[in-house]
Amino acid sequence: MTADQELQVIVQQGKEPNPTVQDERNSVSSSQTEVSRSNTYKRWLRVSLYTFFVISGQTVATILGRLYYDNGGNSKWLATVVQLVGFPVLLPYYLMSIKTHATTHRDGKRTSPRNRVLVYVVLGLLVGADCYLYSIGLLYLPVSTYSLICASQLAFNAFFSYFLNSQKLTPIILNSLFLLTISSTLLAFNNEESNSTKVTKGEYVKGFICTVAASAGYGLVLSLQQLAFLKVLKRQTFSEVMDMIIYVSLVASGVSVVGLFASSEWKTLSSEMENYKPGKVSYIMNLVWTAVTWQVFSIGGTGLIFELSSLFSNAISVLGLPVVPILAVIIFHDKMNGLKVISMILAIWGFTSYVYQQYLDDKNLKKSHGITTTKSPDPPEAEESSWQSK
């Protein structure tokens, strides 16, 4: 009889959970949820900040670049140099902030110096060439047309991300890419006359081709950056993001400086400064702030790649699309004809389609996490196995 009573006590203990243990489980689960929410808020705060950097930096830098040409500047290589050479302004921030950023992921094997240098050199060469193509496009095209063509970089980025980053091309993404491609293609048939009488039809075509090629190059660079983070560098830290910006900019700046001297454009810079319409001080300030704002854009773009993906980073840069043409109409008196309006509408539609796909992906991700959370405790099976082991 005593043995039966002991057996009943053991069975009841197996069925009734210990209140202390259950409270501890609830406390741990609650704290984990709070930490997860806190990390999510901080992450999206960083994403919002990087987004602001991309849009504001790109818009201001593009406007300043066009002002340089309109006021008497004519050096394509100098316009390329100022896009890249501003990276030293990041060094104080880098040195002060690196100690406060902990590693979020660390691989056991460190990347060899040879592979690291190879990544920076290849990306630096591509960025240098890409910036030169952008400088040619901005010289020969109205800034509104130039910015609308740049929207095609999202389509090129998606194409390269499909092969290099295993990016899924859903029907909504394909619709977005189709609209963006059509938006840029329409501008090839634009018969507007440039504000500058010096630009011939041949130069306009040259500017169009160079801008499309630069957009393709930029899409490739973003995909290669994401591939480098995942496959080569293998460490997703603040220092890796800053190293990517600084060393790639260093290599690209070297390429652009060599191009400046090899093309002999440096010989005309003194007379260019003398003849600059607003004066020497405005000439210098234009170059300085163009360099600074491009670095702000670079921080935002690389940060978005680090936090999300290269395709999202490119989509955010396209988000600033309507801003530049509107400012161009106000500042430079560019003509906003019907073809440009249709192109802008298609580009915004394409971007909206992409954002909607991102919303669906995020919603599905939250659902999958919710399913995992509800299944993980599974107390009945755990209690049964525990009782059987006794």
Side-chain angles (χ1 to χ4, degrees), residues 61-256:
T62 303
I63 295 297
L64 289 175
R66 187 64 215 183
L67 282 172
Y68 164 76
Y69 286 131
D70 282 0
N71 289 322
N74 196 44
S75 174
K76 297 182 290 292
W77 279 111
L78 181 61
T80 304
V81 169
V82 296
Q83 294 180 50
L84 304 163
V85 78
F87 70 90
V89 302
L90 304 177
L91 293 177
Y93 173 73
Y94 177 39
L95 296 175
M96 288 187 296
S97 303
I98 190 172
K99 294 181 181 180
T100 63
H101 288 77
T103 303
T104 58
H105 173 77
R106 186 179 297 273
D107 194 273
K109 299 180 181 179
R110 289 185 60 86
T111 306
S112 66
R114 182 179 63 86
N115 291 340
R116 185 177 293 273
V117 170
L118 183 62
V119 167
Y120 296 149
V121 169
V122 170
L123 289 177
L125 292 174
L126 288 174
V127 169
D130 196 53
C131 289
Y132 180 69
L133 292 174
Y134 273 128
S135 297
I136 296 175
L138 192 57
L139 172 62
Y140 293 134
L141 295 178
V143 68
S144 56
T145 304
Y146 166 85
S147 60
L148 289 170
I149 295 174
C150 288
S152 63
Q153 66 194 31
L154 183 59
F156 287 115
N157 188 204
F159 174 78
F160 292 121
S161 293
Y162 176 77
F163 294 101
L164 299 177
N165 310 127
S166 301
Q167 175 74 37
K168 294 182 180 179
L169 297 181
T170 64
I172 297 178
I173 290 291
L174 290 175
N175 175 67
S176 173
L177 303 182
F178 174 76
L179 291 171
L180 290 169
T181 302
I182 295 299
S183 171
S184 298
T185 304
L186 284 176
L187 296 176
F189 304 99
N190 190 20
N191 294 322
E192 72 169 331
E193 295 180 358
S194 176
N195 291 332
S196 175
T197 56
K198 298 179 182 179
V199 177
T200 64
K201 188 64 177 180
E203 289 173 335
Y204 183 92
V205 173
K206 180 180 179 181
F208 179 88
I209 294 174
C210 287
T211 305
V212 172
S215 299
Y218 183 70
L220 175 61
V221 167
L222 288 180
S223 297
L224 289 176
Q225 280 185 333
Q226 184 177 354
L227 183 66
F229 276 131
L230 296 176
K231 301 296 184 181
V232 182
L233 303 178
K234 297 181 180 180
R235 292 197 306 158
Q236 297 183 8
T237 64
F238 171 80
S239 61
E240 288 293 351
V241 175
M242 296 303 296
D243 286 345
M244 176 73 75
I245 296 173
I246 291 172
Y247 291 116
V248 169
S249 297
L250 178 63
V251 174
S253 298
V255 171
S256 60

